[in-house]
Amino acid sequence: MRIVFDLQCCQHPGIDTHTLHNTLALVQEMANTSAGRDLWIAFDRRDPARLDALAAAFAGAVPPERLVGYTGMPQDDEAGARLAALVRQNFFEALGADLVFVPGPWTLAAGTAAGATRPRYRQAFGPAAPASLAAARAGLRQADLLLVQHEGAAAAAAGADGPALVDVQGVDARAAAVAWAAFERLAPVPAHPAQEGVRARLAWVTASAPDGTAAALLAQLAPYYEIELVAPAGAAAHGLPLRTLAWFEEHGAAYQRVLYHFTDSPACAPLPRLLARHPGIVVLHDFALGQVFDGGAPAMADAAGDAFGAALFASHGYSGLQACQRLGRSATAAAFPLNRTVLEQALGVIVHDANACALARHWYGPHAAAGWRVVDLSGSAALAGDYADAIEHLSCRSPGASYRRLLQAVAAAGAPRDPRARSLIAAARAIAANQPPARTRQLLVDVSALAATDLKTGIQRVVRSILLALIKDPPPGFRIEPVYGDGGNQRYRYARRFALGLIGLDGVQAEDEVIEHQAGDVFLGLDLAANITVSNLALLADMRSQGMAVYFVVYDVLPLLQPEVFPFGTDQYFGEYIRAVAAHADGLLCISRAVADELADWVGAHAAPRTRPLKLAHFHLGADLDASAPTSGLPDDAPLVLAALGARPSILMVGTLEPRKCHAQALAAFELLWEQGVDVNLVIIGKQGWMVDALADRLRSHPRRGHTLFWLPGVSDEMLTEVYRLSSALLAASSGEGFGLPLIEAAQHGLPIIARALPVFREVSGEHAFYFEGKEPARLAEAVQHWLRLSAEGLAPASSAMPWLSWSASAQQVLDAIVREQWYRILPAAPHAQP
Amino acid sequence: MSRLARKTLRAARSLAGRSVRILLRPSLVRRLAARAKQSDTVRRIAIPLLIRFPRLRSGLARLRVLSRSAPSGDIRHPDWPAPLPAEYLNMPASERRVLLDLARSGEPPSHP
């Protein structure tokens, strides 16, 4: 027996402190003595004022997943109150409640107006004060039980109309025991009309004639239902009325029960359309349904807009579409189940083997098979009874069945039919929000900056590469969904057009809809969209309050640690961003352990005290160029440059020109070397960034330019590869980095590394690099000379054995944290922080 | 702080308390955002203004939203014969389905 406490009265601003205290005392006492009972606590999500405090009051007594929020709707008039009652009733029915107890003053309870249908659960109210007892009994016509705290009231009212009265005589442990005993005496509402002797009309929809087992089952079900067979013309009807699929499409609404028998066969192709029009129970004879949707078109370009493409995208998202491009249509139909739409549209699902439930959980997450009925066809004795019980339960008690009843009740209540009516829009929002989690869990990847403008920055390259790796190999039970925000706490939208373009399906039409989200979804701020994020804090807090986990990637904290090498104001807005994500995220992922340590130190010293712990993880970036869409092409002067590089030792610097990269120190050091007659090239690859105007002028007008000094802004990956091949060493002189991808790229080309002794460089390169210290040009000149001597003697550290990750492995490290909950550090909450 | 940044900040401070509207074409916003990545001059102009007037940031974001092609005429859907409310565009798919199901309640429904 599922019992739900609806705490809406305790959230109501009209409740006085004394009554609230007494009500909560009784309810907490009941929760504390609920061991062994299926107790849930429900809150009204629209009234968050007391929500945190109430949730805290039941922590420990009720598991967190049984604390659920529902969305009510305004009750401006009698019609609105009736609609609100139906919406509330639908929520509790979809939750599977057998008894809903509304503790507190019943006059404050919303949604108790008489609905058009009697709920499928029992209702209890109270404790009612003696003065309001008579009014309560008159007003709560649909209640089954009213708790009172008035000695003798129950006995005095015995035999009168209205709900049963039980005197709990207090709010202590004894009162809780009395209330529990009263609840347990309530007989449950009959599960379905069949139990009341009604024989329903049932359509048995199949694409093939029933075989021996099915024919036997049909015969056994005859006492329970008026069965009609819906099958292709000419099928053996086993003495039942035979209807064609076309006839059923027009007349299906006349049946009280519909069973769709799905096998993985092209013959079942018409069934999904019929199911969408006339909802019913799906009997899965095969779990995968790829053949149902595979009409035989050979190319993905044809499939993207047809039923196969729609089913593939609905079931498996971009991962399915991408696999179809790689594998082809038939292989994809064989490799993926493609059955998500069918499962979502079903009123309920019957399978004959528990393995189907395991497959559903594997493909669509841990709750995917919730509510499914497994009927073992091998045991014949109780088969028909089990089948009928499953059919009745799923047809009457499933969330889908409750939704159908709600629509009928709304029609009967005379609600407006114009979708522009305010009340209908409010009801649609509340009903949609109140449906139990049914979709595959989503990993929402924020690509706000990249989707708006691809500036080809290093961070955007990471975003593209990680996203593609996630799409290619999503975590089991998750669907990868790129999203973007516009700021101003407007809801995020699916980046459908961007994502389709990313996987090479630019021509496919798609709408960037507002996102759906549910408890268990994960939001990953992979892109650096600082301004949009800081203007979405209320939205992110709301997403978290609905059970989503929110994580952000932090690429570095250099603007906060070295503000002098960034443009004016960068530390201010970047600090605002880091404070915001540290306060509102469940966890932060850094691109190296060094950044995680720097971030932890900075948050500890500068961020506001947190009410919750902050999880920290780190991952390394991938370095396989192929996965990040490399560019190609050589500049006109490539032969001259490459010839000069091969003529003498060449030291290479890769990265945008900015003060942090210490190009000025390197140039001055090489000027010293050239003065000393050292025959060596300095090659700089990177565009001009900020605060380097003077350096750029020096490089452009340098007398050594084109001889032993080369500055190549904006070269392709192809040219970069050539320069790597001909260079002697990579110089990583930067005074601070988040990761240091050029070190790994150098190692991939077997290029030795001369690196500043930064923690992050030691983390990435270990013993595979030659390290130097000091900001003076002379120190660097000495280090380069030292390395040249070691190199000549064959003693310079080699980089070729340096380990590095593919983007796929990098993405798995991200998933280790946000899906598999493997964290590097957890920063504790401040003991007295205010929410 | 550069001279240009100081001058910009001084100018921004002098605007305090006044009702200021800065009108930028969406294409200019996009170019400014792109240029700010590479140009010191654009950064020196834009960042002091954004610090002094943080609300400009969301304003810029809103501008970007407005720059999307706005729907002209009635909002329609193939499954519904009459105009739909403006909110329809900003509803997630499940809300849209429920709204249309409610509007035709009494007929066979789809699913939330």
Side-chain angles (χ1 to χ4, degrees), chain A residues 345 403 422 493 516 691, chain B residues 40 87 90 94 101 111:
Chain A
Q345 288 183 333
Y403 180 68
R422 298 287 96 192
R493 287 179 176 271
E516 313 248 19
M691 297 165 67
Chain B
D40 283 359
E87 288 92 333
N90 291 317
S94 62
D101 279 347
H111 280 261

Side-chain angles (χ1 to χ4, degrees), chain A residues 381-717:
Chain A
L383 187 62
D386 290 350
Y387 231 94
D389 184 61
I391 293 168
E392 290 310 303
H393 181 86
L394 296 173
S395 297
C396 302
R397 301 297 296 265
S398 68
S402 171
Y403 180 68
R404 295 195 78 190
R405 274 199 305 279
L406 169 69
L407 294 178
Q408 289 161 359
V410 167
R417 298 292 182 89
D418 186 346
R420 291 170 297 184
R422 298 287 96 192
S423 59
L424 222 56
I425 293 171
R429 289 198 162 126
I431 293 165
N434 287 342
Q435 298 310 305
R439 286 180 293 98
T440 310
R441 291 173 75 187
Q442 299 178 107
L443 175 50
L444 302 166
V445 183
D446 183 10
V447 294
S448 293
L450 180 60
T453 319
D454 188 351
L455 296 170
K456 313 285 185 196
T457 64
I459 288 178
Q460 292 185 331
R461 181 178 167 185
V462 174
V463 173
R464 262 196 312 275
S465 301
I466 294 276
L467 180 57
L468 279 169
L470 289 172
I471 287 173
K472 188 176 178 188
D473 187 15
F478 273 91
R479 178 187 175 97
I480 307 299
E481 283 286 1
V483 301
Y484 64 87
D486 291 317
N489 289 313
Q490 298 180 72
R491 290 198 273 187
Y492 284 86
R493 287 179 176 271
Y494 291 116
R496 300 247 194 257
R497 286 183 290 239
F498 163 82
L500 288 168
L502 186 73
I503 61 171
L505 290 170
D506 305 77
V508 179
Q509 294 295 312
E511 182 188 354
D512 288 352
E513 288 174 347
V514 168
I515 65 164
E516 313 248 19
H517 54 80
Q518 65 187 19
D521 286 348
V522 174
F523 176 92
L524 174 64
L526 181 59
D527 212 344
L528 177 59
N531 287 344
I532 290 173
T533 301
V534 296
S535 68
N536 274 348
L537 298 184
L539 181 65
L540 291 168
D542 184 53
M543 286 158 69
R544 283 194 62 258
S545 75
Q546 292 182 40
M548 282 184 66
V550 175
Y551 304 112
F552 284 90
V553 172
V554 175
Y555 290 87
D556 61 59
V557 285
L558 295 169
L560 308 175
L561 304 181
Q562 301 180 34
E564 69 281 1
V565 295
F566 287 89
F568 168 75
T570 306
D571 56 327
Q572 197 161 338
Y573 78 75
F574 190 75
E576 188 183 343
Y577 167 70
I578 294 293
R579 278 190 195 89
V581 296
H584 287 82
D586 295 282
L588 302 176
L589 290 85
C590 303
I591 59 170
S592 63
R593 190 179 62 236
V595 173
D597 289 336
E598 289 170 352
L599 177 67
D601 292 344
W602 192 89
V603 167
H606 298 93
R610 290 173 53 87
T611 55
R612 292 166 289 109
L614 177 64
K615 298 179 275 193
L616 290 185
H618 57 80
F619 67 102
H620 276 189
L621 302 184
D624 42 342
L625 277 178
D626 288 342
S628 59
T631 54
S632 60
L634 298 176
D636 293 341
D637 60 349
L640 287 175
V641 172
L642 297 175
L645 264 55
R648 62 185 67 81
S650 297
I651 307 298
L652 173 63
M653 297 182 78
V654 179
T656 304
L657 265 67
E658 51 173 297
R660 173 171 58 98
K661 307 280 187 179
C662 295
H663 290 93
Q665 184 197 9
L667 180 59
F670 274 77
E671 285 170 339
L672 288 175
L673 292 172
W674 291 326
E675 280 173 18
Q676 293 164 19
V678 179
D679 191 22
V680 61
N681 286 329
L682 174 61
V683 186
I684 297 172
I685 290 183
K687 290 182 289 190
Q688 181 179 343
W690 51 85
M691 297 165 67
V692 288
D693 294 352
L695 173 67
D697 290 343
R698 268 178 75 201
L699 287 171
R700 284 193 200 97
S701 58
H702 201 283
R704 290 270 182 173
R705 186 172 186 199
H707 302 287
T708 54
L709 173 63
F710 300 90
W711 178 24
L712 309 171
V715 299
S716 66
D717 290 320

Side-chain angles (χ1 to χ4, degrees), chain A residues 327-336:
Chain A
L327 304 173
R329 187 165 166 142
S330 296
T332 304
F336 289 86

